[in-house]
Amino acid sequence: QVQLVESGGRLVQPGGSLRLSCVASGRTFSSLMMGWFRQAPGKERDFVAAISDNGESAFYADSVTGRFRISRDNTKNTVYLQMNSLKPEETAVYYCAGDRAPTYAVSTSYAYWGRGTQVTVSS
């Protein structure tokens, strides 16, 4: 079993930056593809970014390409999401997810989920 714990969410001004972290328990982290999803109130959970188990491949939603960067440190069992030029419409709970072989942009294909961290983009 893998447990995921996100951190780093807070209130940030439009145009600001934020880095989210997700720490995984267990010994299997380096074999998992990891993803970040977000869910705004009343909306579906949307794909944001994903990274392969060895960190060599990364995938992004069109809306965040060029502004967000996903990375991982397998020695620390941690995946990161660097978010730049944040917009108010990106206010949401951000979730970390992991699975051995997910369809990276499909939330239902991930077995492991954290509880989320709130990101609020507002002046």
Side-chain angles (χ1 to χ4, degrees):
Q1 189 74 323
V2 176
Q3 292 185 330
L4 304 175
V5 179
E6 303 94 336
S7 63
R10 61 174 176 86
L11 173 65
V12 62
Q13 291 188 342
S17 297
L18 205 56
R19 188 176 83 156
L20 305 182
S21 300
C22 171
V23 179
S25 65
R27 301 179 181 179
T28 61
F29 178 76
S30 60
S31 67
L32 301 178
M33 171 168 269
M34 299 299 297
W36 285 96
F37 291 77
R38 63 190 179 191
Q39 188 168 20
K43 295 189 177 181
E44 295 185 350
R45 190 169 296 188
D46 292 332
F47 169 71
V48 176
I51 189 166
S52 60
D53 54 2
N54 60 9
E56 291 185 357
S57 298
F59 310 91
Y60 297 92
D62 290 344
S63 60
V64 307
T65 298
R67 298 186 298 117
F68 289 15
R69 181 175 180 272
I70 189 171
S71 61
R72 67 189 295 162
D73 185 341
N74 286 349
T75 67
K76 296 181 179 179
N77 278 16
T78 303
V79 61
Y80 305 97
L81 184 67
Q82 176 67 43
M83 305 186 292
N84 301 321
S85 301
L86 282 160
K87 305 174 182 180
E89 56 265 37
E90 295 179 310
T91 294
V93 177
Y94 282 70
Y95 295 92
C96 170
D99 199 279
R100 291 188 181 274
T103 303
Y104 66 81
V106 178
S107 62
T108 54
S109 67
Y110 287 81
Y112 307 114
W113 287 87
R115 294 187 175 184
T117 186
Q118 176 70 47
V119 173
T120 302
V121 186
S122 175
S123 55

